[in-house]
Structures are given as C-alpha cells and as structure tokens.
Amino acid sequence: MIELTYDEVFTFENIYKAHMRGRRAKRDKIPLVKFEAAMLGNLYELYRKIEAGKFRLGGYNHFTVFEPKRREIQTLHYADRVVQHVLCDEVLAPYFTQRAILDNTVCQLGKGSHFALKRFEEKLHNYIRTHGTKGYILKCDILKYFPSIPHCKLKEIFSGEIRDERLKRLVEHIIDSYHTDSGFLKNYGYDCLTPDPDKSGRGVPIGNQTSQIFGMFYLNKVDRLVKEKLRVKIYSRYMDDFLLVHEDKQFLQSALKELTAAVESLGLKFNSKTQIFPLKNGVTYLGYKYRVTPTGKVVKTVKAKTQRRLRSRARLLKKAYLEGVIDSERVRMSVAAFHGHLMHANSYGLENELAAKLGAICHADGK
C-alpha cells in the first residue's frame, strides 16, 4: 500500500525537480521556452493550484507518427506533464516497478528492449543446450492495447494501492481525462463501458508518462499466471507483446486458454498475431528476427520491414543532403543511429550497404 500523502508528494521542491527533469532534450521546444520565460512564477502558480485542489488537466494535443508504424499520439500541455512527472517519479514508478516480475521489461530503470532481448537470448541458448531445437513458441499480442484498457479495472488496480484520498482522486482524474473514440473501438470488437456516447470508458493516451506505467503493470495478473502458476521458464513481456517457449505444444495450447481467460478478465483480447509455432520456424520479437539453425545456432537479424525502412531512410538522407536541406553532420548522426540498431544483430552486410551509400557524405567537409 502506498502510504505517501498528497501534501508530501506535491511540494514545491518536487515540482521544481520534475520541471528540471522534464525539460531535458526539450530546450528548443516552444511550449517549454514560453514556460521558462517566467519559470518560477509558473511553477509557483502550478504549486498553488495543486495545493488548493484546483488542478485539472488542460486537454490533449494530437499528432501522428509513422515510424516504426503509424500511431496516434496524445500529449499534454507542459505544466500538466510536470504534474505527471511528480506523480510518476515520486509515487507510481517506485511502487509498481518493484512489484513487477523481472521479465516484465518495459519502463523500468535498468531495463528496456535490449535488456529484454539479451535475457531472452540467454534463456533460449540454455533451452537449446538442454532440449535441442525441438520445441514451440507461443507469441501473444493484445489487440489495440492502449486504446482498449478499461478505466474501471485500471482504477481498481492502481487506486486500490493508494491510501491517500487526494492522490487517489488525482490518479482517477488522469485515467478519466481521456476516452478512446467509440467508433474506433467498435471496429475492433470492443464495447463501450459508459452510457455517455462521448465517454467510452476505455483507453489511455500513448504520450502520457502515466500511461507507460499503467501499461507496464496492468498485465501483472498475466505475468504472475505465467511465472507462478504455469511456471514457464522462458517468458518475456515488453508492454503488450510477449512470448513463451516450451518443449510441449499441448502445454502451450493449455496455457493459451488460461492466458486468454486472464486477458479477457481484464477487458482485453488477443489479436490474430497470437499463435503457437515450432521453434525451428524462428520468431520476430521487438524488431529482430530470431532463426534457429538445425545445429542449434541462434541467428539474429533485423526484420525485413526494418531493413526496407532503413534503406528508404538512407535514400531520403542522401537526397536531402544533395538538395541542401540537411548538412553532413545530420547524415553522420543518422549513420550512427543505424549502427546503434544494427550492432545488436547479425546485420553486417546491411550496415556495410548503408555505410557505402552515405560514406562519402559522412566524410564531407574534411571530417
């Protein structure tokens, strides 16, 4: 149980520290520039509003990103993000990340996608040494995870762990501040949970810091089922994408039935990507393709879609440089980013190909 009180959490000092953390890598953003023009006054005004219990979220900005896939992103105004920084950093993250299993690898200090991949690879190598290449993979994916999370169950999980009523109301206010469009939900077979046509009772905005913690812990029931009841040794979850490896196909079929029931009890459902297939077929996980050779060697490459995206990106960079839109330094930064992604896989050929296309530009200006 979280014993911290609202007044202990939302001190002026914590609000100031949250602002200092929140402005990192955003110093050139117009909303932040405006906020910092009268920083202390703005922070004090925010503090007084919180202290008086008058704080309310100001609504969301919406935009679309297209890489690595199309997503609708919702972000709060800067002052609202400062409040979420305080709530997450001082209350939610310290408490709920400590109660997550080790193989829940997203949004936690010292973890992330490469932690998940490294741990999965180590366990996979150990499995192959014991069982050979015979076995099966159950790969699961939640259908429209963030847009479909039910508010009532989310509040039950998170508010139920908070003792202070004012903190509890703030968490519930943030959860209820956003509702996924009912038409969107119906397209995927999800029902609305309130009689109000403008409030579906489902969904958390992808751009919120709180949403990342909500998404990390909401499936804790599933994690506990896999590790504590089913006792599956090879399990990895990164938000709504997770997989299990086992030598017995019938065991995984039975596990899928239990997992489906657990997911449905949380008001969610699996999508069509959820399936069981032989280990020898390999698996795609977190942007990388794993292939197991007949001799038991694990070969890791970037998936084909990512390869096409990187090649297209290289062509656009070269075109933009030749047209004078960007300079050679911007190209060098992109090449370094390509290397940072490809160095974790057996993709030397692709990296050399990209370097050959952009190498001359990277050495421009005598650098």
Side-chain angles (χ1 to χ4, degrees):
M1 180 68 72
I2 296 173
E3 301 290 349
L4 287 168
T5 67
Y6 188 90
D7 292 331
E8 288 173 334
V9 172
F10 286 101
T11 63
F12 183 82
E13 180 183 5
N14 282 344
I15 292 172
Y16 177 77
K17 288 192 299 184
H19 161 63
M20 298 303 288
R21 290 192 295 269
R23 72 176 187 168
R24 293 172 185 168
K26 298 183 180 72
R27 300 300 299 276
D28 59 340
K29 303 295 183 181
I30 292 176
L32 178 58
V33 172
K34 291 181 177 179
F35 189 89
E36 288 211 315
M39 181 185 68
L40 290 178
N42 286 331
L43 289 176
Y44 187 70
E45 181 183 353
L46 179 60
Y47 167 68
R48 291 304 299 268
K49 190 180 295 184
I50 293 169
E51 185 183 42
K54 297 180 180 180
F55 171 79
R56 293 292 182 272
L57 295 179
Y60 289 89
N61 300 309
H62 299 262
F63 62 94
T64 304
V65 297
F66 297 91
E67 290 188 9
K69 63 181 180 180
R70 182 188 174 98
R71 287 184 184 272
E72 301 296 328
I73 307 296
Q74 303 81 28
T75 61
L76 288 166
H77 299 292
Y78 182 76
D80 296 343
R81 296 204 298 271
V82 171
V83 174
Q84 289 213 14
H85 265 295
V86 176
L87 181 63
C88 291
D89 297 346
E90 304 295 332
V91 182
L92 300 183
Y95 183 83
F96 287 101
T97 56
Q98 287 188 8
R99 282 151 183 81
I101 68 168
L102 183 61
D103 290 305
N104 175 354
T105 59
V106 70
C107 300
Q108 298 173 67
L109 186 64
K111 293 186 179 181
S113 60
H114 290 302
F115 173 89
L117 292 167
K118 182 179 179 181
R119 184 168 169 80
F120 170 68
E121 291 161 23
E122 290 173 351
K123 289 189 172 185
L124 186 59
H125 283 296
N126 291 336
Y127 174 91
I128 292 172
R129 280 193 288 268
T130 303
H131 302 283
T133 59
K134 294 182 179 179
Y136 296 87
I137 297 174
L138 167 56
K139 191 172 190 296
C140 302
D141 196 358
I142 304 293
L143 177 64
K144 299 300 174 183
Y145 183 46
F146 278 92
S148 59
I149 293 177
H151 291 186
C152 54
K153 293 184 181 294
L154 184 62
K155 287 187 284 189
E156 182 181 323
I157 290 172
F158 280 82
S159 297
E161 295 293 326
I162 299 172
R163 191 177 300 280
D164 184 87
E165 287 298 322
R166 296 177 76 192
L167 275 180
K168 188 178 298 188
R169 287 198 299 271
L170 176 60
V171 170
E172 293 179 351
H173 168 62
I174 291 172
I175 291 172
D176 286 332
S177 68
Y178 175 84
H179 295 262
T180 302
D181 179 73
S182 58
F184 176 89
L185 291 169
K186 289 177 181 177
N187 288 337
Y188 294 95
Y190 283 112
D191 57 332
C192 296
L193 302 176
T194 75
D196 188 337
D198 296 323
K199 295 182 179 180
S200 63
R202 288 183 181 270
V204 293
I206 292 178
N208 271 10
Q209 186 181 0
T210 48
S211 297
Q212 301 304 307
I213 298 176
F214 293 157
M216 176 275 295
F217 197 76
Y218 189 68
L219 293 175
N220 186 59
K221 179 178 181 178
V222 172
D223 297 335
R224 299 292 175 179
L225 170 63
V226 173
K227 298 304 293 184
E228 295 173 2
K229 182 181 178 183
L230 301 177
R231 304 184 71 82
V232 175
K233 293 182 179 179
I234 305 183
Y235 171 69
S236 182
R237 178 167 79 85
Y238 192 87
M239 203 58 84
D240 62 325
D241 191 6
F242 54 99
L243 48 82
L244 301 75
V245 179
H246 200 273
E247 64 270 20
D248 187 344
K249 184 177 182 180
Q250 289 186 329
F251 174 88
L252 288 180
Q253 289 172 335
S254 177
L256 179 55
K257 291 181 181 178
E258 292 198 53
L259 288 168
T260 300
V263 166
E264 289 178 351
S265 74
L266 292 169
L268 305 171
K269 60 181 76 175
F270 285 130
N271 65 19
S272 58
K273 298 177 185 177
T274 300
Q275 56 185 311
I276 299 171
F277 44 87
L279 177 62
K280 63 183 180 182
N281 289 5
V283 64
T284 299
Y285 185 48
L286 301 183
Y288 293 90
K289 172 73 175 180
Y290 289 91
R291 181 172 57 86
V292 181
T293 69
T295 61
K297 182 180 179 180
V298 178
V299 180
K300 176 185 177 186
T301 58
V302 293
K303 60 184 183 181
K305 184 177 180 180
T306 303
Q307 294 181 33
R308 291 193 296 270
R309 181 165 55 85
L310 292 178
R311 289 189 176 101
S312 175
R313 177 71 174 164
R315 288 194 297 271
L316 290 173
L317 283 169
K318 186 173 183 178
K319 184 174 184 295
Y321 173 77
L322 294 176
E323 292 177 356
V325 177
I326 61 175
D327 58 14
S328 60
E329 179 61 26
R330 179 67 183 83
V331 178
R332 280 193 289 274
M333 290 170 62
S334 293
V335 171
F338 294 162
H339 173 70
H341 187 70
L342 296 174
M343 66 182 288
H344 298 282
N346 303 105
S347 301
Y348 306 111
L350 176 60
E351 187 166 6
N352 289 335
E353 175 190 334
L354 297 174
K357 289 181 179 180
L358 300 173
I361 298 175
C362 290
H363 292 91
D365 304 326
K367 295 183 181 179

